[in-house]
Amino acid sequence: QVQLRESGPGLVKPSQTLSLTCTVSGGSITANHYYWNWIRQPPGKGLEWIGYIDYRGSTYYSPSVKIRTFISRDTGLNQFTLQLYDVTPEDTAEYYCAGSLGPKYSGSQKEYNYWGQGTQVTVSE
């Protein structure tokens, strides 16, 4: 059974870089046609898709965060990482990693085959 687990600091200061890692167990991030996504939910708002890195290592980002986002992977550790630069309090959210067969570009959990438990990140002094 594939499981995803997010990890990273829970508090980041404004203008700094938010860095989160998703560790995948029970399956490989290089498995054909799988896409590995980051999604977030700010307080009181809906789920927002951030971007993905696919089984080939290609990436695609939401236009709303594209200029501040970088997703990478470590195939040896079977992990993928989100870096969000120059954060503001508006980046405060619950962050989720998720896996899908094919690209989804969606924040809807039902679109995904695998979903992490989430990690809270607060941007504050």
Side-chain angles (χ1 to χ4, degrees):
Q1 176 147 354
V2 177
Q3 294 185 321
L4 282 67
R5 179 171 52 86
E6 304 89 348
S7 59
L11 180 64
V12 183
K13 293 184 177 182
S15 81
Q16 292 188 341
T17 298
L18 181 162
S19 185
L20 297 174
T21 295
C22 182
T23 301
V24 180
S25 59
S28 174
I29 61 172
T30 62
N32 281 343
H33 310 301
Y34 273 88
Y35 290 67
W36 303 98
N37 302 261
W38 286 100
I39 294 152
R40 67 181 180 181
Q41 186 168 28
K45 298 185 179 180
L47 290 162
E48 176 189 11
W49 177 77
I50 298 170
Y52 68 63
I53 186 164
D54 72 16
Y55 60 103
R56 301 159 294 185
S58 299
T59 56
Y60 189 82
Y61 306 118
S62 168
S64 66
V65 293
K66 180 179 181 179
I67 61 172
R68 300 192 293 125
T69 304
F70 182 69
I71 298 175
S72 59
R73 68 178 185 173
D74 186 324
T75 57
L77 295 176
N78 215 37
Q79 297 175 333
F80 61 103
T81 298
L82 168 71
Q83 290 180 289
L84 186 64
Y85 306 111
D86 193 23
V87 297
T88 71
E90 285 66 41
D91 293 308
T92 294
E94 187 83 6
Y95 283 76
Y96 299 90
C97 58
S100 62
L101 187 61
K104 300 298 180 185
Y105 313 108
S106 168
S108 175
Q109 185 174 354
K110 65 181 181 180
E111 298 284 343
Y112 295 88
N113 301 83
Y114 312 113
W115 190 269
Q117 84 282 0
T119 188
Q120 175 66 36
V121 178
T122 299
V123 179
S124 175
E125 294 284 1

Short mmCIF file of all heavy atoms in Angstrom, two decimals, residues 88-125:
data_model
loop_
_atom_site.label_atom_id
_atom_site.label_comp_id
_atom_site.label_asym_id
_atom_site.label_seq_id
_atom_site.Cartn_x
_atom_site.Cartn_y
_atom_site.Cartn_z
N THR A 88 4.82 34.78 2.46
CA THR A 88 4.10 35.81 3.20
C THR A 88 3.09 35.11 4.09
O THR A 88 2.85 33.90 3.95
CB THR A 88 3.36 36.77 2.26
OG1 THR A 88 2.26 36.07 1.66
CG2 THR A 88 4.29 37.29 1.15
N PRO A 89 2.43 35.82 4.99
CA PRO A 89 1.40 35.19 5.82
C PRO A 89 0.30 34.52 4.99
O PRO A 89 -0.36 33.59 5.49
CB PRO A 89 0.87 36.36 6.66
CG PRO A 89 2.06 37.25 6.81
CD PRO A 89 2.76 37.18 5.49
N GLU A 90 0.10 34.97 3.76
CA GLU A 90 -0.91 34.36 2.89
C GLU A 90 -0.54 32.93 2.48
O GLU A 90 -1.38 32.20 1.95
CB GLU A 90 -1.13 35.20 1.64
CG GLU A 90 -1.94 36.48 1.87
CD GLU A 90 -1.23 37.49 2.75
OE1 GLU A 90 0.01 37.66 2.58
OE2 GLU A 90 -1.88 38.10 3.63
N ASP A 91 0.69 32.54 2.72
CA ASP A 91 1.11 31.16 2.43
C ASP A 91 0.87 30.23 3.61
O ASP A 91 1.15 29.03 3.52
CB ASP A 91 2.60 31.14 2.05
CG ASP A 91 2.87 31.85 0.73
OD1 ASP A 91 2.19 31.50 -0.27
OD2 ASP A 91 3.75 32.73 0.69
N THR A 92 0.34 30.76 4.71
CA THR A 92 -0.04 29.92 5.83
C THR A 92 -1.14 28.96 5.41
O THR A 92 -2.16 29.38 4.84
CB THR A 92 -0.53 30.78 7.00
OG1 THR A 92 0.57 31.56 7.49
CG2 THR A 92 -1.11 29.93 8.12
N ALA A 93 -0.92 27.66 5.63
CA ALA A 93 -1.88 26.67 5.16
C ALA A 93 -1.51 25.29 5.68
O ALA A 93 -0.41 25.07 6.20
CB ALA A 93 -1.89 26.63 3.62
N GLU A 94 -2.45 24.38 5.50
CA GLU A 94 -2.16 22.96 5.65
C GLU A 94 -1.65 22.50 4.29
O GLU A 94 -2.32 22.72 3.27
CB GLU A 94 -3.42 22.19 6.04
CG GLU A 94 -3.21 20.73 6.38
CD GLU A 94 -2.75 20.51 7.83
OE1 GLU A 94 -2.71 21.49 8.60
OE2 GLU A 94 -2.46 19.35 8.16
N TYR A 95 -0.49 21.89 4.27
CA TYR A 95 0.10 21.45 3.02
C TYR A 95 0.02 19.92 2.91
O TYR A 95 0.36 19.21 3.86
CB TYR A 95 1.57 21.89 2.93
CG TYR A 95 1.71 23.36 2.59
CD1 TYR A 95 1.49 24.34 3.56
CD2 TYR A 95 2.04 23.78 1.31
CE1 TYR A 95 1.59 25.69 3.25
CE2 TYR A 95 2.16 25.12 0.98
CZ TYR A 95 1.93 26.07 1.96
OH TYR A 95 2.04 27.42 1.65
N TYR A 96 -0.41 19.47 1.73
CA TYR A 96 -0.57 18.05 1.48
C TYR A 96 0.26 17.62 0.27
O TYR A 96 0.39 18.38 -0.70
CB TYR A 96 -2.02 17.71 1.15
CG TYR A 96 -3.01 18.03 2.24
CD1 TYR A 96 -3.64 19.27 2.30
CD2 TYR A 96 -3.33 17.09 3.21
CE1 TYR A 96 -4.56 19.56 3.29
CE2 TYR A 96 -4.26 17.37 4.21
CZ TYR A 96 -4.85 18.62 4.24
OH TYR A 96 -5.77 18.90 5.23
N CYS A 97 0.78 16.40 0.32
CA CYS A 97 1.32 15.81 -0.89
C CYS A 97 0.37 14.69 -1.34
O CYS A 97 -0.32 14.08 -0.51
CB CYS A 97 2.74 15.29 -0.71
SG CYS A 97 3.02 14.07 0.59
N ALA A 98 0.34 14.47 -2.62
CA ALA A 98 -0.63 13.52 -3.18
C ALA A 98 -0.09 12.91 -4.47
O ALA A 98 0.67 13.57 -5.20
CB ALA A 98 -1.95 14.23 -3.47
N GLY A 99 -0.49 11.68 -4.74
CA GLY A 99 -0.08 10.99 -5.96
C GLY A 99 -1.27 10.68 -6.83
O GLY A 99 -2.34 10.32 -6.34
N SER A 100 -1.07 10.82 -8.14
CA SER A 100 -2.16 10.56 -9.07
C SER A 100 -1.63 9.83 -10.30
O SER A 100 -0.48 10.00 -10.70
CB SER A 100 -2.83 11.87 -9.50
OG SER A 100 -1.91 12.72 -10.17
N LEU A 101 -2.51 9.06 -10.90
CA LEU A 101 -2.21 8.41 -12.17
C LEU A 101 -2.62 9.38 -13.26
O LEU A 101 -3.81 9.57 -13.51
CB LEU A 101 -2.97 7.09 -12.27
CG LEU A 101 -2.63 6.19 -13.46
CD1 LEU A 101 -1.16 5.79 -13.44
CD2 LEU A 101 -3.50 4.95 -13.45
N GLY A 102 -1.66 10.01 -13.87
CA GLY A 102 -1.94 11.07 -14.82
C GLY A 102 -2.03 12.42 -14.11
O GLY A 102 -2.26 12.48 -12.91
N PRO A 103 -1.87 13.51 -14.85
CA PRO A 103 -1.94 14.85 -14.26
C PRO A 103 -3.37 15.23 -13.91
O PRO A 103 -4.30 14.89 -14.63
CB PRO A 103 -1.38 15.74 -15.38
CG PRO A 103 -1.68 15.00 -16.64
CD PRO A 103 -1.58 13.54 -16.30
N LYS A 104 -3.55 15.99 -12.81
CA LYS A 104 -4.88 16.35 -12.36
C LYS A 104 -5.10 17.85 -12.29
O LYS A 104 -6.20 18.33 -12.52
CB LYS A 104 -5.16 15.73 -10.98
CG LYS A 104 -5.09 14.21 -10.99
CD LYS A 104 -6.13 13.61 -11.90
CE LYS A 104 -6.05 12.09 -11.91
NZ LYS A 104 -6.97 11.48 -12.88
N TYR A 105 -4.10 18.64 -11.88
CA TYR A 105 -4.21 20.09 -11.77
C TYR A 105 -5.35 20.50 -10.85
O TYR A 105 -5.93 21.58 -11.03
CB TYR A 105 -4.43 20.73 -13.15
CG TYR A 105 -3.51 20.23 -14.22
CD1 TYR A 105 -3.98 19.41 -15.24
CD2 TYR A 105 -2.15 20.57 -14.23
CE1 TYR A 105 -3.15 18.94 -16.23
CE2 TYR A 105 -1.30 20.10 -15.22
CZ TYR A 105 -1.81 19.29 -16.21
OH TYR A 105 -0.97 18.82 -17.19
N SER A 106 -5.69 19.68 -9.89
CA SER A 106 -6.88 19.90 -9.06
C SER A 106 -6.54 19.83 -7.59
O SER A 106 -5.62 19.12 -7.19
CB SER A 106 -7.92 18.83 -9.39
OG SER A 106 -8.96 18.83 -8.43
N GLY A 107 -7.30 20.58 -6.78
CA GLY A 107 -7.15 20.49 -5.34
C GLY A 107 -8.11 19.50 -4.71
O GLY A 107 -8.09 19.30 -3.50
N SER A 108 -8.92 18.85 -5.51
CA SER A 108 -9.92 17.93 -4.98
C SER A 108 -9.31 16.58 -4.61
O SER A 108 -8.74 15.91 -5.47
CB SER A 108 -11.02 17.72 -6.01
OG SER A 108 -11.95 16.74 -5.57
N GLN A 109 -9.45 16.20 -3.36
CA GLN A 109 -8.84 14.96 -2.87
C GLN A 109 -9.33 13.74 -3.64
O GLN A 109 -8.58 12.79 -3.85
CB GLN A 109 -9.12 14.80 -1.38
CG GLN A 109 -8.42 13.61 -0.76
CD GLN A 109 -8.59 13.52 0.75
OE1 GLN A 109 -9.15 14.41 1.38
NE2 GLN A 109 -8.09 12.46 1.35
N LYS A 110 -10.56 13.77 -4.10
CA LYS A 110 -11.10 12.59 -4.78
C LYS A 110 -10.44 12.32 -6.12
O LYS A 110 -10.58 11.23 -6.67
CB LYS A 110 -12.61 12.77 -4.98
CG LYS A 110 -12.98 13.90 -5.91
CD LYS A 110 -14.50 14.03 -6.05
CE LYS A 110 -14.88 15.15 -7.00
NZ LYS A 110 -16.35 15.29 -7.12
N GLU A 111 -9.70 13.29 -6.63
CA GLU A 111 -9.00 13.12 -7.91
C GLU A 111 -7.72 12.30 -7.76
O GLU A 111 -7.16 11.86 -8.75
CB GLU A 111 -8.63 14.48 -8.48
CG GLU A 111 -9.82 15.38 -8.79
CD GLU A 111 -10.55 14.97 -10.04
OE1 GLU A 111 -9.99 14.21 -10.86
OE2 GLU A 111 -11.72 15.39 -10.21
N TYR A 112 -7.28 12.09 -6.54
CA TYR A 112 -5.96 11.51 -6.29
C TYR A 112 -6.04 10.09 -5.78
O TYR A 112 -6.91 9.74 -4.99
CB TYR A 112 -5.18 12.41 -5.32
CG TYR A 112 -4.89 13.75 -5.93
CD1 TYR A 112 -5.80 14.80 -5.80
CD2 TYR A 112 -3.74 13.95 -6.70
CE1 TYR A 112 -5.55 16.02 -6.41
CE2 TYR A 112 -3.49 15.17 -7.30
CZ TYR A 112 -4.41 16.19 -7.16
OH TYR A 112 -4.17 17.40 -7.78
N ASN A 113 -5.07 9.30 -6.20
CA ASN A 113 -4.99 7.91 -5.76
C ASN A 113 -4.42 7.80 -4.35
O ASN A 113 -4.79 6.91 -3.59
CB ASN A 113 -4.12 7.10 -6.71
CG ASN A 113 -4.64 7.12 -8.14
OD1 ASN A 113 -4.38 8.05 -8.90
ND2 ASN A 113 -5.39 6.11 -8.51
N TYR A 114 -3.50 8.72 -4.02
CA TYR A 114 -2.83 8.68 -2.72
C TYR A 114 -2.78 10.08 -2.16
O TYR A 114 -2.56 11.06 -2.89
CB TYR A 114 -1.42 8.11 -2.87
CG TYR A 114 -1.36 6.84 -3.67
CD1 TYR A 114 -0.73 6.82 -4.91
CD2 TYR A 114 -1.94 5.67 -3.20
CE1 TYR A 114 -0.68 5.66 -5.66
CE2 TYR A 114 -1.91 4.51 -3.96
CZ TYR A 114 -1.28 4.51 -5.19
OH TYR A 114 -1.24 3.37 -5.93
N TRP A 115 -2.91 10.19 -0.84
CA TRP A 115 -3.02 11.51 -0.18
C TRP A 115 -2.33 11.44 1.16
O TRP A 115 -2.59 10.53 1.94
CB TRP A 115 -4.50 11.84 -0.01
CG TRP A 115 -4.83 13.22 0.41
CD1 TRP A 115 -4.98 13.65 1.70
CD2 TRP A 115 -5.09 14.36 -0.42
NE1 TRP A 115 -5.31 14.99 1.71
CE2 TRP A 115 -5.39 15.45 0.41
CE3 TRP A 115 -5.09 14.55 -1.80
CZ2 TRP A 115 -5.69 16.71 -0.09
CZ3 TRP A 115 -5.40 15.80 -2.30
CH2 TRP A 115 -5.69 16.87 -1.45
N GLY A 116 -1.45 12.38 1.46
CA GLY A 116 -0.79 12.42 2.75
C GLY A 116 -1.69 12.96 3.84
O GLY A 116 -2.80 13.44 3.59
N GLN A 117 -1.21 12.91 5.08
CA GLN A 117 -2.03 13.36 6.21
C GLN A 117 -2.00 14.87 6.38
O GLN A 117 -2.83 15.42 7.10
CB GLN A 117 -1.60 12.67 7.50
CG GLN A 117 -0.43 13.31 8.22
CD GLN A 117 0.90 12.99 7.60
OE1 GLN A 117 1.00 12.28 6.61
NE2 GLN A 117 1.96 13.48 8.21
N GLY A 118 -1.04 15.52 5.73
CA GLY A 118 -0.96 16.98 5.79
C GLY A 118 -0.03 17.47 6.89
O GLY A 118 0.20 16.78 7.89
N THR A 119 0.50 18.66 6.68
CA THR A 119 1.32 19.30 7.69
C THR A 119 1.01 20.79 7.71
O THR A 119 0.89 21.42 6.65
CB THR A 119 2.82 19.05 7.43
OG1 THR A 119 3.59 19.53 8.53
CG2 THR A 119 3.31 19.72 6.16
N GLN A 120 0.86 21.35 8.88
CA GLN A 120 0.52 22.76 9.03
C GLN A 120 1.78 23.61 8.94
O GLN A 120 2.78 23.33 9.62
CB GLN A 120 -0.17 23.00 10.36
CG GLN A 120 -0.46 24.46 10.66
CD GLN A 120 -1.48 25.08 9.72
OE1 GLN A 120 -2.43 24.43 9.30
NE2 GLN A 120 -1.28 26.35 9.38
N VAL A 121 1.72 24.64 8.12
CA VAL A 121 2.81 25.61 8.03
C VAL A 121 2.24 26.99 8.29
O VAL A 121 1.28 27.41 7.66
CB VAL A 121 3.49 25.57 6.65
CG1 VAL A 121 4.59 26.63 6.59
CG2 VAL A 121 4.07 24.19 6.36
N THR A 122 2.85 27.68 9.23
CA THR A 122 2.46 29.04 9.56
C THR A 122 3.59 29.99 9.20
O THR A 122 4.75 29.72 9.53
CB THR A 122 2.14 29.17 11.05
OG1 THR A 122 1.06 28.30 11.38
CG2 THR A 122 1.76 30.60 11.42
N VAL A 123 3.24 31.06 8.50
CA VAL A 123 4.22 32.08 8.15
C VAL A 123 3.99 33.27 9.07
O VAL A 123 2.95 33.94 9.00
CB VAL A 123 4.10 32.51 6.68
CG1 VAL A 123 5.14 33.59 6.37
CG2 VAL A 123 4.29 31.30 5.77
N SER A 124 4.96 33.51 9.94
CA SER A 124 4.81 34.56 10.93
C SER A 124 6.16 34.90 11.52
O SER A 124 7.06 34.06 11.57
CB SER A 124 3.86 34.10 12.03
OG SER A 124 3.78 35.07 13.07
N GLU A 125 6.26 36.15 12.02
CA GLU A 125 7.46 36.54 12.74
C GLU A 125 7.50 35.84 14.10
O GLU A 125 8.54 35.76 14.72
CB GLU A 125 7.50 38.06 12.93
CG GLU A 125 7.63 38.83 11.63
CD GLU A 125 9.05 38.79 11.07
OE1 GLU A 125 9.93 38.15 11.67
OE2 GLU A 125 9.27 39.40 10.01
#
